[in-house]
Amino acid sequence: MACARVPLDEQQVTEPGPLGKEHTLPALHPTRKEDRCFVPYKSPPEDGSPAEVEEFMEHAKFIIEDLEWLLTLPHDKFWCQVVFDDSLQRCLDSYLHQAPRGLDLASLPSSPAVADMQRSVHRAVFLTFLRMATHKESKENFLTPAVFGEIIYENFLFDIPKILDLCVLFGKGNSQLLHKMLENIFTQQPSYYSDLDETVPTVLQVFDTILGKCGLHSEGVTAMEPMKLNAHKQPTAMAMSQQDLVDLILYLCDSTTTIHAFLDIFPAACSSFHSHGFLSRLTSFYETAVPDLEKAVRKRNFDDKGLQQDLWKRLSHSCRKIVETAHLLLHHTCLQPILEGGENIQTFAEELLQHFTSFLPEKRFLSDYDEQFPIADDISLLQQALPLIDETRMSYLLQGVESAWDCVGRRRPHSQALHQGAAGGAAAASTGFEFQEARELEGGEGLRGADAMLDVPGKRNHAAVSEGELESLLTCIRDLLPDLGEGFLLACLQEYDYNSELVINNILEDRLAPNLDKLDRAMPRPVKEVLPDVLDVRSNVFDDDEFDIFRRDQVDMSRIWKGRRKGESVQEMLNDKKHIAEQKSRYQAYETVVDEVVIQPGESAETYGLDDYEDEYDDTYDMGQVGANDLDGDSLLNRRPFTIPQILRKGNKPELEVEGEDEEEEETLQNNVNRDQFVQDPALLRERAEARRAAMHQRKGFRPEQRPKNVVGQAKGQGQTQETLLDRRKKEANKGRGANHNRRNMADRKRNKGMIPS
């Protein structure tokens, strides 16, 4: 028996030999292995015959019995069987290779019995690997950590491909156990980190291979590398065979799902991927290959529509996993150190900003990444962690994100993310990540494609989508689903916020809203009400005139010219007085004014047209007074005689006809006195001015002509006259008014204030 408290690798056991003689052996020895053959695993049949189902059930039963027997062995026997039994390793490897992933159609067993058997095998294999990754089961049963690492590494019990398969197969529901397994494996055997570094270029080669199959340029191929002879014959995604396209998408889906599962369960590996520039290669691949593959799946004619739907689901799933892988790399290599806070927080922030800047040329990837993990939230987090960060750079990144959405022709479903706080944004990003992860299906459940686009925050108005955008969305959907009517598609677009990808996925997966399921899928597009032409309903003062080109087919173009008319001079235009003659007839109607009409006996008012009574007549401004001109002896009104306008007068026609010349002269003089004259007589104006001056002198009194001032006076000592003294006093008082600059007044002010001694 093994000794207690001693590692298994140091224990010695005594067992009987072939001849019955006891001999001592190490606890880990090939002779202690039990002879048992572990059968390899075969995947469950997909709608197979009863014979195939029976064969699978029999194989699965053998595997379950063998693995349960293995798990019941003691610690030393278990490790002898694991290390030295090659059939066991072949059985476990066959399950890792052949077991259906969560996205395979084979994950939907044909019967409950097959499903139960598959789950039992799945559980037994996981428990076996879990025990194989544990170096200490109890205080008595354990291996030396260094020896444990050497055993699993040298005997290839675990390697990087096996670890990747373990993550993608058992990650759902067992992520914590898997994380502890991998952490123990990498801790006890650091050589796995070196193997991981050597594996990353191989993973990158996967994306280069897919690009090469699609006939696209690969960044991994340098300009100095010679081109292969058959490089020009590489088919594109549209031209390759249908089976090659199916294999290519399955290969992409399996690769992206596996990488994401590994990095999600074991984040310590992100640094190895990051050191090889995996993030930049991943984004470049996404921008180059994804649009080409999506076009191929949409545009190609598939005989089996179910196959087309399955390919679209897998491609959508691959796109989401690529975006989430990029987020994992950024989170664990840049964001997590910033959140934890450390000495090099500025370095990590700068590296994060450089990555975001490198995303700007990748418009498609940037828009899809921002849809699931808003970049504005990460920028808000940086602004809180580093208050002195460059705001101009932050604004440039946000504008680049907006430009990416515009370039791909899509609208942001979360515009409110730009205004969220750092904490709220981080929580939203985490919640969205977990929400999408929960939608990935395992085992017997099917795939729900494009789940990342199901969270639509709000409905958009039809007016927010232009006619061109709407037609483009309809064309995009009808290229893939030509049997659907445009009316039905319009209703779907309105329901799902004009997101064509979401509409396509919900139609293919038959997950439309209840109100859409009731509609006829061949419903035509509703006919728009044709509005009348604005020219038919307009109203204008120029309607139906001779130049109304909207209602007249022919217009006299001779009456239309631009600028000055040809052959017509300025003088001729000024001398043309036809407009005066046209107005003359209008003013002649006012020459005859009849105040009253006396009706003679035997005549009626109809003779003079006076019987027309106008009850709508407005007499507000009438100047006539009732009874003013009655023949009662006195005239109450003095009417101003009617005067013909000057422009209509004739030179030889007198203004009024009178009987005598004397009366005419007197009336003319009287009229001239009252008439307003444009230019008055100058002599009369001078007389009036002289009269005004005389009146002014009379009011102020007469002032004789002033004598000349004399300030010189007589010689000194002879005395001065009174006039000289007055003149000198006036000069002294007023001399500061001119060029003396008021010096006298200022001196007086100083003297009055006591500033100058007297």
Side-chain angles (χ1 to χ4, degrees):
M1 289 295 296
C3 297
R5 305 284 182 175
V6 178
L8 179 62
D9 51 279
E10 298 179 4
Q11 293 180 12
Q12 301 288 330
V13 295
T14 302
E15 292 185 354
L19 301 177
K21 184 179 180 179
E22 294 184 354
H23 59 283
T24 303
L25 296 174
L28 290 176
H29 196 272
T31 59
R32 302 193 65 204
K33 175 181 70 70
E34 298 289 340
D35 293 332
R36 195 177 186 98
C37 181
F38 291 84
V39 296
Y41 170 82
K42 291 184 179 181
S43 60
E46 182 181 349
D47 297 331
S49 61
E52 294 176 345
V53 173
E54 184 179 358
E55 181 183 5
F56 168 76
M57 298 288 288
E58 185 177 2
H59 271 78
K61 185 177 181 180
F62 289 153
I63 293 174
I64 293 172
E65 291 177 355
D66 292 339
L67 293 181
E68 288 180 350
W69 169 83
L70 177 67
L71 292 173
T72 58
L73 291 176
H75 185 251
D76 55 340
K77 290 286 187 178
F78 172 81
W79 278 103
C80 289
Q81 201 73 27
V82 168
V83 174
F84 303 113
D85 192 348
D86 294 336
S87 65
L88 172 61
Q89 297 303 319
R90 286 194 297 270
C91 174
L92 296 176
D93 291 346
S94 65
Y95 184 83
L96 296 180
H97 296 162
Q98 303 296 329
R101 271 60 174 168
L103 304 176
D104 293 337
L105 294 177
S107 63
L108 300 175
S110 56
S111 65
V114 175
D116 293 340
M117 189 64 69
Q118 173 62 28
R119 281 193 291 270
S120 299
V121 175
H122 189 80
R123 181 177 182 276
V125 173
F126 176 69
L127 293 177
T128 303
F129 277 109
L130 181 61
R131 189 175 184 185
M132 288 169 56
T134 305
H135 71 282
K136 184 178 181 180
E137 296 181 2
S138 64
K139 294 181 179 180
E140 293 79 16
N141 300 321
F142 63 95
L143 285 167
T144 304
V147 177
F148 168 76
E150 184 179 356
I151 289 175
I152 62 175
Y153 189 77
E154 296 297 334
N155 293 280
F156 296 96
L157 301 184
F158 292 98
D159 54 25
I160 299 300
K162 285 184 179 181
I163 292 174
L164 293 175
D165 289 333
L166 286 173
C167 291
V168 74
L169 283 174
F170 304 105
K172 287 302 169 184
N174 305 300
S175 57
Q176 294 183 355
L177 287 176
L178 270 176
H179 176 74
K180 292 181 179 179
M181 285 174 54
L182 299 185
E183 188 176 20
N184 188 49
I185 291 172
F186 278 84
T187 301
Q188 308 307 331
Q189 183 52 267
S191 298
Y192 282 112
Y193 283 107
S194 302
D195 293 349
L196 181 60
D197 289 334
E198 297 177 0
T199 306
V200 174
T202 306
V203 176
L204 291 174
Q205 187 62 36
V206 171
F207 299 115
D208 295 338
T209 302
I210 296 175
L211 290 175
K213 292 291 184 180
C214 296
L216 302 173
H217 173 69
S218 171
E219 285 190 0
V221 181
T222 61
M224 300 300 296
E225 184 177 348
M227 183 180 295
K228 297 180 181 180
L229 295 178
N230 60 347
H232 63 282
K233 298 181 181 179
Q234 288 290 343
T236 62
M238 288 293 295
M240 67 174 60
S241 64
Q242 179 173 312
Q243 186 59 42
D244 290 341
L245 178 62
V246 172
D247 294 340
L248 195 65
I249 293 180
L250 292 177
Y251 184 43
L252 173 63
C253 183
D254 183 66
S255 301
T256 54
T257 305
T258 301
I259 295 171
H260 174 266
F262 174 62
L263 295 179
D264 184 28
I265 293 172
F266 190 59
C270 291
S271 58
S272 299
F273 280 79
H274 187 69
S275 62
H276 287 80
F278 186 82
L279 185 59
S280 60
R281 295 285 295 276
L282 189 66
T283 58
S284 176
F285 168 80
Y286 190 95
E287 190 74 15
T288 305
V290 168
D292 195 65
L293 292 174
E294 286 183 346
K295 179 181 177 182
V297 176
R298 287 178 176 175
K299 300 291 185 180
R300 291 182 62 135
N301 295 324
F302 289 84
D303 297 334
D304 185 4
K305 292 298 181 181
L307 176 61
Q308 185 180 20
Q309 296 177 11
D310 181 65
L311 292 180
W312 179 258
K313 294 175 184 178
R314 291 177 180 273
L315 185 57
S316 301
H317 179 79
S318 302
C319 295
R320 189 172 70 251
K321 289 304 173 185
I322 291 176
V323 172
E324 292 176 355
T325 301
H327 177 71
L328 284 175
L329 292 173
L330 285 177
H331 179 76
H332 293 291
T333 58
C334 299
L335 285 174
Q336 190 65 31
I338 295 175
L339 294 174
E340 293 175 354
E343 298 179 356
N344 299 326
I345 184 174
Q346 185 69 37
T347 303
F348 291 116
E350 181 64 27
E351 186 177 2
L352 179 63
L353 293 178
Q354 289 180 0
H355 284 302
F356 284 157
T357 305
S358 66
F359 290 169
L360 295 181
E362 319 295 346
K363 305 295 185 182
R364 172 65 189 277
F365 173 82
L366 183 59
S367 61
D368 291 348
Y369 181 91
D370 185 65
E371 183 177 6
Q372 294 193 45
F373 310 101
I375 294 179
D377 295 341
D378 297 334
I379 291 179
S380 177
L381 185 146
L382 287 180
Q383 290 174 340
Q384 295 184 15
L386 300 172
L388 300 180
I389 198 167
D390 188 4
E391 294 295 336
T392 304
R393 192 173 184 182
M394 302 298 100
S395 177
Y396 172 74
L397 289 176
L398 293 178
Q399 291 177 3
V401 174
E402 295 291 342
S403 175
W405 281 95
D406 295 338
C407 289
V408 299
R410 295 165 57 191
R411 295 180 178 272
R412 300 186 66 180
H414 50 265
S415 59
Q416 72 275 12
L418 295 177
H419 307 287
Q420 290 178 349
S430 174
T431 303
F433 176 74
E434 295 171 1
F435 174 72
Q436 293 165 17
E437 285 295 315
R439 293 201 172 189
E440 290 184 20
L441 302 176
E442 179 185 9
E445 297 180 4
L447 170 70
R448 297 188 182 273
D451 286 331
M453 294 178 286
L454 289 178
D455 189 14
V456 181
K459 298 295 182 183
R460 271 186 308 188
N461 192 349
H462 188 352
V465 181
S466 63
E467 291 294 332
E469 284 183 297
L470 191 60
E471 294 297 333
S472 177
L473 293 174
L474 288 174
T475 303
C476 175
I477 301 176
R478 286 183 61 82
D479 288 341
L480 183 61
L481 306 169
D483 55 329
L484 300 179
E486 291 188 358
F488 175 74
L489 295 180
L490 279 175
C492 294
L493 287 172
Q494 292 175 1
E495 178 68 22
Y496 294 108
D497 196 24
Y498 295 93
N499 191 329
S500 60
E501 297 182 4
L502 184 56
V503 171
I504 292 173
N505 282 280
N506 287 340
I507 293 176
L508 293 178
E509 296 174 7
D510 198 16
R511 293 193 293 109
L512 291 174
N515 58 329
L516 296 178
D517 281 334
K518 300 177 183 179
L519 298 178
D520 182 12
R521 299 207 170 193
M523 182 174 62
R525 191 170 186 173
V527 180
K528 289 186 177 181
E529 181 182 357
V530 180
L531 298 177
D533 191 1
V534 67
L535 297 177
D536 297 335
V537 297
R538 71 167 191 155
S539 180
N540 197 290
V541 295
F542 300 107
D543 286 348
D544 298 322
D545 64 0
E546 57 178 329
F547 300 111
D548 189 359
I549 60 175
F550 299 109
R551 290 179 171 81
R552 292 180 179 271
D553 296 333
Q554 295 181 354
V555 178
D556 187 6
M557 300 302 295
S558 63
R559 300 195 57 195
I560 303 175
W561 64 86
K562 183 178 181 181
R564 186 180 299 171
R565 197 170 187 178
K566 295 181 179 180
E568 182 179 4
S569 64
V570 178
Q571 191 62 32
E572 291 178 355
M573 182 178 63
L574 294 176
N575 294 335
D576 186 7
K577 306 298 182 181
K578 292 188 297 183
H579 60 285
I580 297 178
E582 295 174 355
Q583 298 295 330
K584 187 174 182 179
S585 59
R586 175 179 297 178
Y587 286 99
Q588 283 180 350
Y590 297 98
E591 288 186 355
T592 304
V593 179
V594 180
D595 293 335
E596 294 181 354
V597 177
V598 180
I599 301 176
Q600 300 296 331
E603 295 180 354
S604 63
E606 297 179 356
T607 307
Y608 300 94
L610 301 177
D611 60 341
D612 295 333
Y613 173 70
E614 178 64 36
D615 59 349
E616 298 294 336
Y617 177 72
D618 185 10
D619 58 354
T620 303
Y621 301 101
D622 283 357
M623 299 300 295
Q625 300 182 18
V626 179
N629 292 336
D630 290 345
L631 299 178
D632 52 0
D634 295 330
S635 178
L636 300 179
L637 294 178
N638 291 324
R639 289 182 176 270
R640 181 179 177 181
F642 177 77
T643 304
I644 299 178
Q646 296 241 358
I647 193 172
L648 300 179
R649 293 179 184 175
K650 294 182 180 179
N652 55 357
K653 180 179 179 180
E655 184 179 358
L656 294 174
E657 296 182 359
V658 295
E659 295 180 358
E661 295 180 358
D662 296 338
E663 296 179 0
E664 181 179 358
E665 292 178 0
E666 293 178 359
E667 185 176 357
T668 302
L669 291 175
Q670 184 180 2
N671 290 338
N672 288 338
V673 173
N674 298 328
R675 184 176 58 188
D676 295 335
Q677 296 181 0
F678 180 71
V679 178
Q680 296 185 8
D681 188 3
L684 181 59
L685 294 177
R686 287 193 294 271
E687 292 177 0
R688 292 178 181 174
E690 186 64 25
R692 286 194 300 270
R693 284 193 294 271
M696 183 179 63
H697 290 321
Q698 290 178 0
R699 287 194 304 269
K700 294 183 179 181
F702 176 74
R703 291 183 180 182
E705 185 177 357
Q706 297 181 358
R707 61 177 179 80
K709 295 180 180 181
N710 182 17
V711 295
V712 178
Q714 299 178 5
K716 188 175 181 181
Q718 297 180 5
Q720 304 297 335
T721 63
Q722 186 67 24
E723 289 80 3
T724 301
L725 295 176
L726 291 176
D727 290 340
R728 287 180 179 180
R729 187 181 302 170
K730 291 180 180 179
K731 180 180 178 181
E732 180 70 16
N734 299 322
K735 66 180 181 180
R737 182 174 53 84
N740 210 18
H741 302 294
N742 208 15
R743 272 180 276 178
R744 175 60 59 186
N745 291 338
M746 296 305 296
D748 292 340
R749 288 183 61 187
K750 291 181 179 180
R751 185 178 293 107
N752 294 335
K753 292 182 180 180
M755 301 174 64
I756 300 176
S758 56

